[in-house]
Amino acid sequence: MLDADRVRVLVEVAHAGSIAAAAERMSFTAPALSQQLAKLERELGCALVERSRTGVRLTRAGRVLLAYGERVVGELRDAESAVRAAAGEPPQRLSLGAFASAGKLLVPGALAAFGQAHPQVRLSLSDVEPPDGYGLVTSGELDLLITHRYPGVQPPAATGLHRERILVDPLLLVLPEGHPAAGTAPRLADLADQEWICGAPGISNRVALESAAAAEGVRVPVAYETRDYEVMLALIRAGVGIGLVPRMILDDAPASGWVAAPPAGAPLAREISIVHRRRPPAPVPAMVDMLRRSARRAPH
């Protein structure tokens, strides 16, 4: 039988991205963790990680074991929580992961309300950009994840997890003030000769833009690459390009220098969801309810 502590080392190294970072998180030395990994590899008779100057990369066998290891670590954490609850000890922590705009617009009110209702629970918040974070929930490192899915993007598998959509956030076409198409509802095909601002290839908003354009039979040129919507809006205000921006972002941005409207054709929107384990311990359901309320208050 595999040693659970060594399996946990693999999980921590995979999540941290390097042996040194995992060692710091686990309060071990890097050589000690490296020795544990080596013992695990000897037990299995195959390499689990490939080491480099920039960190580690899991082999195919390592990725297979990681999927099982995350579930094992998560079940052990659940077991500890259940035993403590049976002994009368109230929950003491709740960890939340969220992408940037959700962390700014959905999370603060929920955290404040939760803190008032559950002052004994220590809250933590981590920046987690989609599609990352599912493994952190599976292993119990995160109790809750707020994530998104753009049109044309396949969501990660949620094996053993519960994923619930709490908000549909429309993508609006944003143009500089005075643009010839301002005040109209053009199709993306009508703007195929414009300079677009979007994320790099493979980034969710780039995939959404390219998928929507392809559905209209055109390709759109991306002249400026940024995944930061504040940068995108600054460039649009300067008149150097156009872009698709979630309404949630626009509602929190200074309303000057740009105009926005839904593009003609099929509606485009990103789906914002919460992800947690299928049997979440208290007080996770309470936080889920507060995040639902925050989503209902958000403009649609």
Side-chain angles (χ1 to χ4, degrees), residues 265-291:
L268 299 175
R270 65 177 181 175
E271 298 178 350
I272 297 176
S273 301
I274 50 177
V275 179
H276 56 74
R277 292 174 66 80
R278 289 195 180 276
R279 300 183 303 276
V284 173
M287 177 61 83
V288 168
D289 185 59
M290 291 170 185
L291 288 169

Side-chain angles (χ1 to χ4, degrees), residues 13-14 72 84 104 109 139 179 203 212:
V13 168
V72 168
R84 291 184 184 279
K104 183 177 181 181
S139 68
H179 190 281
I203 299 299

